[in-house]
């Protein structure tokens, strides 16, 4: 039987047994095509071949780019608007926080986006590390590597960044890295501006990515396009966070660089250790995701990072999620400038019975000052939403100029908690001097299951229960402020296997 070849040109190239890319030959007009033959043993010298591109074949003309970075877009009108985003699972008091859209491009919410994404990946990596140790014995460690391509690299693909990641994976196979997370960076900071940057050679300057993101992109003076032009240059590379017992470097990576022009570097300290603790991993992952390449598709943006090997389908266990949450919280303020204290309920255990002594700082232009001088002890919880609305017109709730955050995370993530969150925001009575509650607040979206529990509702003060119900309705009416247009990347690689 004659087999009709219906595969696309791209598949046919693949079925010839390799992943290919091209770049120019230094000091020459020529071009070089490098092919990694995945059907050849990684230890075999003939796995990588180079050739002059055949003029008859289709051109390798796709540049791997993902030219946007987190925080470089506009915020939604509602980002930062206060709503009753937190509640206390013990006493039902509610707390106001700003709404967070959780989009990577949002100038206000990208840090919180970055924190969440990093947390998930760190948990998966930790959980897999544990699994591999159990199954394969031997000490499994985290490693941070960079895989850098030449800026003139070209592939033939309708998804060039993905193709570059596959090439990266194939090369990493040769040094013993099979499972990990690959984060694509489109840019590096120009050498004349670059200071000490995680995982890269430092240049003559003193800027790192925190400066680029926080001081340049967030400032009025620097439109995003000007930041790209002035400080950044195209330099496609991946940061890889891997789990492995041993990573081969030295002669092997040098050979790869000679054969392919691709530079693989394992980032380590003077003792040769790469990422010693889960906190090290959390910090490096958050840092890498803070300037991950974003690719536009229609109105949404896709962050170019992907788990590979066993990590792709590995689901983190709960203990690993908790550990990752702690590790990310601990390092987020250094890496992202994000304050992530777990919010506690500050309500009085004895709720207010009426509002007659309520203080509303009406007669000042500066509500924050008014709060501070009001003589109230710190409290953020409202005894009920109804009483809190009594002070809604005082202005302090419309102060959206400070970066602050929202709930909305199962574990009670709060990013950028504003200073004023520790100040009274509504009417607790002056006469109260009872003990504060102190329970860790939960995101309002979890309130539904509490409100459905008759047993739980019976233990709650009626006024506070009403307040919580109102807050939950408000949350639903607002359209459940949640992640919108930036769905997590699929962790399952759905590509068809490479044909033989
Ligand atoms: Zn409470
Ligand atoms: Zn936002
Ligand atoms: Zn980088």
């Amino acid at each position: 039987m004659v087999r009709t070849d219906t595969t696309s040109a791209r598949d046919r190239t693949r079925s010839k047994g390799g992943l290919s890319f091209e770049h120019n030959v230094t000091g020459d007009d020529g071009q070089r095509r490098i092919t990694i033959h995945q059907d050849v043993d990684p230890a075999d010298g003939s796995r990588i071949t180079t050739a002059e591109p055949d003029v008859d074949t289709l051109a390798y003309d796709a540049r791997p780019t993902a030219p946007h970075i987190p925080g470089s877009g506009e915020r939604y009108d509602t980002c930062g608007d206060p709503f009753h985003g937190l509640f206390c699972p013990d006493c039902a008091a509610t707390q106001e926080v700003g709404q967070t859209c959780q989009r990577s491009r949002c100038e206000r919410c990208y840090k919180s986006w970055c924190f969440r994404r990093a947390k998930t990946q760190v948990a998966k990596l930790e959980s897999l590390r544990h699994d591999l140790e159990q199954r394969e014995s031997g000490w499994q460690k985290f490693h941070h590597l960079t895989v850098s391509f030449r800026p003139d690299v070209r592939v033939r693909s309708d998804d060039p960044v993905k193709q570059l990641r596959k090439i990266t994976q194939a090369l990493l196979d040769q040094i013993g890295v099979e499972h990990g997370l690959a984060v694509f960076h489109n840019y590096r900071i120009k050498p004349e501006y670059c200071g000490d940057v995680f995982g890269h050679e430092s240049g003559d300057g003193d800027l790192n990515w925190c400066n680029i993101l926080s001081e340049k992109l967030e400032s009025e003076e620097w439109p995003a396009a000007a930041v790209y032009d002035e400080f950044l240059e195209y330099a496609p590379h991946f940061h890889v966070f891997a789990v492995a017992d041993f990573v081969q470097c030295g002669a092997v990576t040098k050979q790869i660089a000679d054969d392919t022009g691709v530079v693989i570097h394992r980032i380590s300290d003077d003792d040769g250790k790469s990422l010693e603790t889960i906190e090290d991993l959390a910090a490096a992952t958050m840092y890498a995701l803070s300037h991950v390449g974003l690719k536009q598709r229609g109105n949404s943006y896709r962050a170019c990072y992907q788990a590979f090997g066993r990590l792709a389908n590995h689901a983190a266990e709960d203990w690993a999620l908790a550990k990752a949450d702690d590790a990310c919280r601990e390092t987020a303020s250094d890496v992202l400038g994000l304050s992530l204290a777990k919010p506690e309920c500050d309500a009085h255990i004895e709720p207010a019975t009426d509002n007659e002594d309520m203080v509303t700082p009406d007669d000042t232009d500066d509500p924050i000052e008014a709060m501070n001088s009001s003589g109230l002890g710190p409290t953020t919880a409202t005894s009920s939403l109804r009483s809190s609305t009594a002070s809604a017109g005082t202005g302090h709730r419309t102060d959206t100029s400070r970066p602050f955050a929202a709930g909305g995370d199962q574990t009670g993530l709060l990013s950028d908690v504003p200073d004023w969150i520790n100040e009274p925001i509504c009417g607790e009575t002056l006469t109260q001097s009872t003990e504060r509650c102190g329970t860790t607040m939960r995101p309002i979206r979890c309130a539904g299951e509490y409100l459905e529990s008759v047993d739980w509702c019976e233990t709650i003060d009626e006024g506070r229960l009403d307040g919580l119900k109102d807050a939950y309705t408000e949350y639903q009416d607002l359209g459940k402020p949640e992640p919108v247009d930036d769905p997590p990347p699929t962790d399952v690689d759905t590509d068809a296997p490479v044909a033989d």
Side-chain angles (χ1 to χ4, degrees):
M1 194 178 83
V2 180
R3 191 168 150 264
T4 316
D5 191 355
T6 53
T7 51
S8 70
R10 181 175 154 225
D11 289 339
R12 279 203 299 279
T13 325
R14 281 171 155 197
S15 67
K16 286 177 193 159
L19 287 162
S20 301
F21 61 102
E22 289 185 1
H23 55 65
N24 300 338
V25 178
T26 316
D28 199 329
D29 288 343
Q31 297 174 356
R32 187 155 77 134
R33 179 175 304 167
I34 297 108
T35 303
I36 304 155
H37 301 274
Q38 288 175 293
D39 51 357
V40 176
D41 184 327
D44 192 317
S46 68
R47 191 169 190 250
I48 298 173
T49 57
T50 55
E52 253 178 67
D54 179 349
V55 283
D56 295 335
T57 60
L58 290 166
Y60 276 51
D61 53 6
R63 288 293 197 82
T65 60
H68 307 275
I69 53 177
S72 57
E74 304 275 301
R75 59 164 74 183
Y76 280 155
D77 286 349
T78 52
C79 286
D81 282 2
F83 78 121
H84 292 81
L86 297 176
F87 77 102
C88 172
D90 256 10
C91 72
T94 57
Q95 244 179 44
E96 279 190 319
V97 286
Q99 294 181 35
T100 297
C101 68
Q102 295 291 351
R103 292 176 310 149
S104 56
R105 281 253 298 159
C106 176
E107 60 176 10
R108 178 185 171 276
C109 308
Y110 76 94
K111 290 179 181 177
S112 158
W113 171 87
C114 177
F115 171 86
R116 283 183 163 208
R117 296 299 172 88
K119 188 172 79 177
T120 308
Q121 299 302 325
V122 168
K124 285 173 61 148
L125 283 158
E126 169 64 3
S127 181
L128 178 70
R129 190 190 64 75
H130 179 81
D131 244 39
L132 290 176
E133 272 186 0
Q134 303 285 305
R135 264 193 264 173
E136 295 177 8
S137 72
W139 195 14
Q140 299 286 325
K141 285 158 278 184
F142 300 127
H143 305 266
H144 180 184
L145 301 108
T146 51
V147 180
S148 306
F149 289 80
R150 293 168 44 139
D152 57 5
V153 65
R154 298 177 299 273
V155 294
R156 190 154 67 80
S157 167
D158 45 17
D159 191 344
V161 174
K162 187 177 190 178
Q163 185 71 359
L164 212 61
R165 180 181 43 82
K166 286 171 179 288
I167 292 162
T168 296
Q169 275 173 248
L171 292 173
L172 289 173
D173 264 353
Q174 298 187 199
I175 63 168
V177 171
E178 291 172 67
H179 322 291
L181 170 74
V183 179
F184 180 70
H185 283 169
N186 202 69
Y187 304 104
R188 65 171 182 180
I189 300 171
K190 285 182 185 170
E192 61 266 38
Y193 286 115
C194 187
D196 261 350
V197 179
F198 240 128
H200 295 290
E201 306 259 301
S202 55
D204 302 328
D206 56 4
L207 291 182
N208 62 29
W209 277 98
C210 294
N211 306 127
I212 297 287
L213 295 165
S214 302
E215 288 159 33
K216 306 295 182 219
L217 270 182
E218 283 178 25
S219 87
E220 304 270 294
E221 285 164 60
W222 288 97
V227 173
Y228 292 129
D229 276 0
E230 179 66 25
F231 301 107
L232 307 178
E233 64 188 15
Y234 176 62
H237 63 278
F238 288 90
H239 287 250
V240 174
F241 303 97
V243 182
D245 53 353
F246 179 71
V247 173
Q248 228 164 6
C249 291
V252 183
T253 46
K254 182 167 183 312
Q255 188 64 50
I256 290 174
D258 290 348
D259 291 345
T260 65
V262 179
V263 178
I264 300 179
H265 177 59
R266 177 177 171 275
I267 294 152
S268 59
D269 61 19
D270 294 343
D271 303 332
K273 286 177 180 142
S274 189
L275 298 165
E276 216 180 341
T277 65
I278 191 169
E279 286 79 18
D280 295 340
L281 173 68
T285 308
M286 276 190 286
Y287 190 73
L289 285 178
S290 75
H291 52 288
V292 61
L294 305 176
K295 227 167 32 182
Q296 188 168 10
R297 260 195 208 146
N299 285 330
S300 69
Y301 291 81
R302 169 61 58 98
C304 295
Y305 69 94
Q306 178 76 42
F308 62 88
R310 278 199 206 155
L311 192 72
N313 292 314
H314 187 85
E317 290 171 64
D318 286 350
W319 64 266
L321 275 167
K323 214 169 157 183
D325 184 60
D326 286 346
C328 288
R329 275 174 200 277
E330 203 164 293
T331 45
S333 98
D334 281 351
V335 178
L336 301 172
L338 199 60
S339 155
L340 289 161
K342 282 188 181 169
E344 287 182 358
C345 177
D346 239 335
H348 291 276
I349 287 173
E350 289 296 320
T353 49
D354 57 50
N355 288 337
E356 58 184 356
D357 289 325
M358 188 168 10
V359 172
T360 50
D362 269 326
D363 32 27
T364 171
D365 287 326
D366 186 344
I368 308 291
E369 269 310 301
M371 294 302 171
N372 290 335
S373 58
S374 69
L376 287 175
T379 172
T380 61
T382 62
S383 56
S384 77
L385 181 63
R386 281 167 189 144
S387 67
S388 81
T389 53
S391 59
T394 59
H396 66 275
R397 303 208 304 167
T398 53
D399 177 11
T400 54
S401 62
R402 296 170 178 223
F404 56 98
D409 188 87
Q410 288 291 350
T411 52
L413 159 67
L414 251 198
S415 54
D416 283 351
V417 178
D419 311 335
W420 60 261
I421 208 86
N422 288 322
E423 301 302 327
I425 57 173
C426 74
E428 282 288 345
T429 61
L430 276 175
T431 51
Q432 283 177 344
S433 56
T434 55
E435 213 183 315
R436 311 274 176 176
C437 169
T439 304
T440 302
M441 303 295 274
R442 299 207 65 195
I444 193 73
R445 76 160 124 103
C446 305
E449 58 190 272
Y450 286 81
L451 289 170
E452 277 168 20
S453 159
V454 180
D455 290 348
W456 183 78
C457 290
E458 272 173 6
T459 64
I460 304 295
D461 169 80
E462 220 171 289
R464 283 196 186 161
L465 197 61
D466 285 346
L468 181 59
K469 284 177 187 162
D470 287 354
Y472 193 59
T473 308
E474 175 201 52
Y475 158 75
Q476 287 169 316
D477 290 348
L478 285 169
K480 303 182 179 178
E482 282 278 0
V484 231
D485 68 357
D486 200 358
T490 44
D491 282 328
V492 185
D493 204 331
T494 49
D495 276 359
V498 178
D500 291 322

